[in-house]
Amino acid sequence: MKIANREQSAVELVREALAKAHEYQDEYHVFNWINDDAIRKAEEIDQRIAQGEEVGKLAGVPYALKDNFLSPEGESTASALILEGFNSPVTATAVKKLEAEGAIMIGRTNLDAFAHGSSTENSYYGPTKNSKDVERVAGGSSGGSAVAVALGIVPFALGTDTGGSIRQPASFNGVYGLKPTYGAISRYGVVAMASSTDCIGFFTHEAEDLDLLMGVVAGQDKNDQTTLPDFYRESTAKTVKKVGIIKDFDNEAVNSEIREALKRKIGTLKAQGYEIIELEMPALKYALAAYYIIVPAEVSSNLSRHDGVRYGYRSADASSLGELYENTRNEGFMPENKRRIMIGNFVLSSGFYDAYYLKAAKARTLIINEYAKAFEKCDVILTPVAPNPAFKLGEKINDPVAMYLEDVMSVPLNLAGVPGLTVPAGKTKSGLDLGLQLVGPRRSDRTLVEFAKVLEEVK
Amino acid sequence: MEVNQETIQHLAKLSNFALTDGETTRLVSDIKEIVGYISQLDELNTDGVEPTYQVFEMENVWRPDEILPQEADREQLLALTKETLNYQIKVPKVL
């Protein structure tokens, strides 16, 4: 395995990662917190190796953790003021599984507060910068995790993907990013955003490492009743012969260099003997509108628990319980959090429920059916991840709909629960990273990882 | 659908936000724009289509009704709050 090949001691690996984390922090703002104590864990691992003890598959491998995963190491802030000072006594299942194999968390990475956003600019702690151009966004919401891997600080990082939050920053920074099948990985101990679409996944340099990480982290968890019975380890990769492309995504709203990158990849695949299937998926056009109804509806419910009473930030200015709730929430949430909570309450309120929420739930069925039909004709689908490469900091932050439109090609997967994998696809003329997205049917995660390896070789 | 100051004030109440006047004004235009965008779903024909609320393929995952050990005890949980009194969470007056 490339990320755990034991050419160096755990202490050397962790020391190197921490040094890089500190070196890049001022310029890129990758981390909300750097775990300098990680070195102690590395010393323990090295001692165990010296004593001939069995150590795990990831022994001594440093990793970065998106700051919406709970663990007692550092505050779990979700980049929101309202979780300031939250030292969780609980550890997320994904973190437990990684640490049981000896992986060592070296820092908590920045995100859009509560994972609401596509640029990491909605963080209370300020934006993370793109790994290739510090005047541009990292992508989001898992921007810090993507940049931590892209800058070579860590060989892998954990992220969450509710509508593209792993795949889009992966493509903006030239790394691999996997959003597994819905239910593949336990979400216990992760700050909830939208429970019907939230997924946990990874950023890596190599496609092969995704296989190792899925093997460690995927599987059923009694603490998360939405985890599927283990399928990843038992599944075999299907040999891909037919690659689907979506005609509607080849339009002027998509940046020309991204469309060219897709055409080049399709050309290479054709030359290698793959059959290219053109797909018509007209309902996907409505996926973004459905997503920005369903997800805010779930957000408004999931975020109602943050009230300043039991944990996190509490407004100092309150003379009654009602004021405590209202002032804490108004001071503690970012503007985008408020927009989403209010849209959620709007689409769920009486008089509007049928026109918005119910309508979106029906659109979701049509989208699921379109994927099912598409996968009767092809093995995987290859599409752009986002309509643009990394955009300028501040360019879209004051225009919520322009920011939402960045998610137009990533959200349909979350609504359908199917897996997606960002693969690097070269650079723009000005040197920005480009990525493409592989999509497969549910439980085809291994097929996507194996096919990403094939794409790595044919590039 | 008309989105105005009143709509925003109503939604702020449902959401438990003490918005400032500046925020309210800004949210009128933001929410108006977002509602305008999501309203394009009207164009989609969904006659006779069943809604999907979740994509998890299982139903009724049962477990035995027994108390399992928890990761955090009472002291740890109370340590997370700002003010306690006699092992209780203290808040401003309710009425």
Side-chain angles (χ1 to χ4, degrees):
Chain A
M1 291 301 151
K2 286 178 179 158
I3 62 176
N5 58 7
R6 283 228 207 301
E7 283 165 11
Q8 283 175 287
S9 71
V11 167
E12 281 172 323
L13 283 171
V14 168
R15 189 169 286 149
E16 203 178 291
L18 285 171
K20 282 185 191 161
H22 283 290
E23 180 193 335
Y24 289 127
Q25 182 64 3
D26 280 354
E27 199 174 356
Y28 294 93
H29 185 213
V30 175
F31 294 98
N32 286 344
W33 177 73
I34 298 174
N35 183 15
D36 289 308
D37 277 347
I39 208 81
R40 280 192 218 153
K41 282 196 175 169
E43 285 165 0
E44 267 174 48
I45 297 261
D46 282 340
Q47 274 168 15
R48 286 174 56 199
I49 293 171
Q51 286 161 3
E53 275 181 50
E54 278 283 312
V55 287
K57 294 188 187 99
L58 297 166
V61 177
Y63 74 98
L65 183 66
K66 189 177 182 181
D67 198 11
N68 58 351
F69 285 77
L70 308 189
S71 84
E73 289 186 292
E75 291 175 9
S76 308
T77 72
S79 287
L81 174 65
I82 207 162
L83 279 172
E84 187 182 55
F86 181 54
N87 283 108
S88 172
V90 166
T91 304
T93 299
V95 170
K96 272 189 194 159
K97 286 184 166 184
L98 288 171
E99 307 234 336
E101 293 293 340
I104 299 174
M105 190 266 277
I106 65 123
R108 293 181 159 276
T109 58
N110 195 19
L111 62 146
D112 289 293
F114 285 101
H116 300 176
S118 314
S119 68
T120 315
E121 289 167 289
N122 293 326
S123 166
Y124 176 70
Y125 302 103
T128 295
K129 314 291 170 59
N130 187 276
S131 59
K132 305 301 180 304
D133 180 349
V134 292
E135 287 178 12
R136 289 177 186 270
V137 300
S141 66
S142 314
S145 284
V147 175
V149 173
L151 291 175
I153 297 171
V154 283
F156 80 92
L158 237 54
T160 58
D161 188 314
T162 302
S165 284
I166 288 174
R167 289 160 287 146
Q168 185 252 30
S171 81
F172 280 15
N173 292 282
V175 297
Y176 287 89
L178 174 66
K179 177 209 104 68
T181 300
Y182 179 81
I185 297 179
S186 168
R187 300 175 297 179
Y188 175 73
V190 180
V191 177
M193 177 177 163
S195 305
S196 84
T197 68
D198 286 346
C199 281
I200 284 162
F202 314 97
F203 296 90
T204 63
H205 285 289
E206 321 273 347
E208 189 185 343
D209 291 337
L210 292 168
D211 182 51
L212 170 65
L213 292 166
M214 280 299 281
V216 169
V217 181
Q220 205 159 25
D221 177 13
K222 66 173 169 38
N223 287 327
D224 177 358
Q225 300 290 351
T226 60
T227 41
L228 293 166
D230 297 9
F231 68 87
Y232 187 82
R233 279 172 288 272
E234 287 80 35
S235 66
T236 48
K238 186 174 179 184
T239 306
V240 172
K241 289 182 185 136
K242 296 176 181 175
V243 178
I245 52 171
I246 301 174
K247 272 164 78 178
D248 289 344
F249 285 175
D250 190 25
N251 65 55
E252 305 244 307
V254 182
N255 175 284
S256 62
E257 291 189 87
I258 292 176
R259 289 160 72 193
E260 279 163 29
L262 179 60
K263 277 184 193 132
R264 276 200 303 276
K265 196 65 91 182
I266 294 295
T268 314
L269 288 171
K270 261 188 195 163
Q272 298 271 327
Y274 289 91
E275 196 180 334
I276 306 299
I277 313 284
E278 281 202 2
L279 302 166
E280 295 206 36
M281 301 176 74
L284 289 199
K285 188 179 156 199
Y286 299 97
L288 191 69
Y291 178 88
Y292 277 101
I293 292 168
I294 292 166
V295 166
E298 296 184 25
V299 161
S300 68
S301 166
N302 274 329
L303 269 59
S304 62
R305 72 187 71 172
H306 300 283
D307 57 10
V309 173
R310 289 152 300 162
Y311 47 79
Y313 173 82
R314 182 187 281 196
S315 174
D317 171 29
S319 57
S320 69
L321 188 62
E323 272 183 33
L324 176 83
Y325 293 153
E326 291 190 347
N327 293 344
T328 297
R329 287 169 64 81
N330 205 54
E331 292 160 24
F333 284 123
M334 294 297 283
E336 180 60 20
N337 303 141
K338 293 184 203 174
R339 283 192 284 264
R340 293 196 190 196
I341 291 168
M342 290 172 75
I343 287 287
N345 281 322
F346 169 74
V347 299
L348 290 174
S349 57
S350 70
F352 300 110
Y353 179 90
D354 285 1
Y356 292 97
Y357 188 71
L358 183 63
K359 183 84 179 174
K362 289 178 178 176
R364 189 173 192 174
T365 306
L366 294 176
I367 290 159
I368 292 167
N369 293 346
E370 281 194 354
Y371 276 112
K373 263 170 43 194
F375 291 123
E376 285 170 9
K377 296 181 195 142
C378 63
D379 304 311
V380 295
I381 304 173
L382 188 63
T383 80
V385 184
N388 294 295
F391 43 92
K392 287 255 169 80
L393 287 158
E395 190 181 321
K396 297 177 196 283
I397 193 70
N398 291 316
D399 186 347
V401 171
M403 190 72 92
Y404 295 174
L405 285 167
E406 288 299 307
D407 305 338
V408 69
M409 293 179 285
S410 56
V411 300
L413 285 72
N414 298 75
L415 291 178
V418 298
L421 170 50
T422 290
V423 295
K427 289 192 191 311
T428 65
K429 288 183 195 85
S430 62
L432 299 174
D433 287 310
L434 292 170
L436 294 171
Q437 170 176 241
L438 280 173
V439 191
R442 284 180 207 176
R443 295 184 174 81
S444 70
D445 307 52
R446 195 186 282 277
T447 303
L448 297 188
V449 171
E450 290 302 318
F451 192 57
K453 281 160 55 178
V454 172
L455 289 179
E456 204 169 28
E457 281 153 24
V458 302
K459 73 186 168 190
Chain B
M1 166 64 207
E2 170 77 13
V3 176
N4 51 33
Q5 296 264 337
E6 216 172 283
T7 325
I8 296 305
Q9 280 154 5
H10 175 63
L11 292 175
K13 205 173 160 204
L14 291 176
S15 310
N16 269 315
F17 295 147
L19 297 177
T20 63
D21 291 347
E23 280 181 302
T24 305
T25 308
R26 174 68 204 270
L27 280 159
V28 171
S29 71
D30 285 352
I31 301 291
K32 196 180 276 178
E33 204 196 341
I34 296 167
V35 169
Y37 183 81
I38 61 180
S39 296
Q40 67 172 271
L41 266 189
D42 287 350
E43 298 167 14
L44 185 66
N45 183 357
T46 53
D47 292 349
V49 178
E50 287 294 315
T52 299
Y53 298 110
Q54 52 98 358
V55 291
F56 190 57
E57 297 151 14
M58 296 165 71
E59 281 178 25
N60 296 340
V61 180
W62 301 101
R63 65 165 176 79
D65 184 18
E66 56 193 20
I67 298 169
L68 300 171
Q70 300 298 309
E71 270 191 83
D73 60 27
R74 185 173 177 148
E75 276 73 21
Q76 284 175 306
L77 294 175
L78 281 172
L80 296 173
T81 188
K82 294 287 182 215
E83 256 190 294
T84 59
L85 184 67
N86 302 330
Y87 277 96
Q88 311 274 334
I89 295 171
K90 195 178 165 191
V91 293
K93 67 175 195 279
V94 177
L95 285 172

